Structures are given as structure tokens and as C-alpha cells.
Amino acid sequence: QVQLVESGGGLVQAGGSLRLSCEASGLTFSSSAMGWFRRSPGKEREFVATISWSNSGGTTYYSDSVRGRFIISRDNAKNTVYLQMNSLKPEDTAVYYCVTHCVRSFLSRCSKEGDFASWGQGTQVTVSS
């Protein structure tokens, strides 16, 4: 059974940084694409970033709203995927979810909530102005 456990959320001022972690178990991590979604108050879950499985070079994809500010990375030795969030804005306030098991043939096409089969419980990020 796949388990995804997020950590690293918290309260930060606008312009600050946070690093989220997601430790995965119950899967072959090095051959699994991983990603992050978020849900802001009153909104649906939205795509943040994904990273392909390691042997294909760790290709990354980002939403337009976070590209240039957030960085997704992975450490296969630790079965962990990270989301480094810089230049945070109040609109980044959300619950952030770790995801895996893209159901489409190409990771580049996995950008909707229904495209991922496994989800973590989420970690809250609050950015104050």
C-alpha cells in the first residue's frame, strides 16, 4: 500500500521560503513520477509541479503560477520528493499534497486532480502579508 507523508509546512511571511518534504513508501520510488498539488481556501486542488522518474532524467513540470519560484527535486536514496518554495506570496497559502501514480501515458499530461491515483494527507502552508 502506497503511503505519502508530507512535512515542512508552516507559517511564513511573504517573500520568505519553505521546503516541503514527502516521504514515500510502498512503491518503487526511483521508478515513480512524483508531484505536488495544492488547495487554497474555497478552491479546487490545483497542479503545482511534477518530476519524472529518475532514469528518464528527472524532467520537471511546473504550473505557470509557481514557475521560477518553486523547485521540485527528489532523493531516491531517501524515497523523498521535495518542493522548495521561494518568494512566497499570500496567494500560495494552501494545503499542499504529495501525489504519485500518474494514470496517463505521459507525465506532461498529468496536471489534473483525477490524473493521480495516490495522495498524501497534505501539509498546511500559510503565507502572511
Side-chain angles (χ1 to χ4, degrees):
Q1 181 178 357
V2 175
Q3 283 194 317
L4 304 174
V5 179
E6 302 96 335
S7 62
L11 174 64
V12 64
Q13 287 189 331
S17 298
L18 276 178
R19 189 178 79 157
L20 304 183
S21 301
C22 170
E23 185 172 356
S25 60
L27 75 170
T28 305
F29 184 80
S30 61
S31 59
S32 298
M34 304 295 297
W36 292 91
F37 272 65
R38 68 185 181 186
R39 180 166 59 193
S40 302
K43 297 184 178 180
E44 296 183 350
R45 287 175 176 172
E46 65 170 344
F47 168 77
V48 175
T50 49
I51 185 168
S52 64
W53 60 291
S54 183
N55 287 353
S56 65
T59 304
T60 57
Y61 303 91
Y62 297 94
S63 69
D64 290 341
S65 61
V66 308
R67 186 177 294 110
R69 299 187 299 123
F70 291 10
I71 301 171
I72 187 171
S73 62
R74 63 191 300 153
D75 185 337
N76 290 337
K78 296 182 178 179
N79 280 14
T80 300
V81 61
Y82 303 98
L83 185 69
Q84 177 67 41
M85 306 185 295
N86 303 317
S87 302
L88 282 161
K89 305 174 182 180
E91 51 264 44
D92 294 318
T93 294
V95 177
Y96 283 73
Y97 300 90
C98 181
V99 298
T100 190
H101 292 152
C102 164
V103 300
R104 295 181 178 272
S105 299
F106 299 98
L107 183 61
S108 59
R109 297 178 181 175
C110 273
S111 61
K112 295 182 173 57
E113 182 174 354
D115 294 336
F116 289 90
S118 298
W119 292 74
Q121 293 300 307
T123 185
Q124 176 71 47
V125 171
T126 302
V127 184
S128 64
S129 57

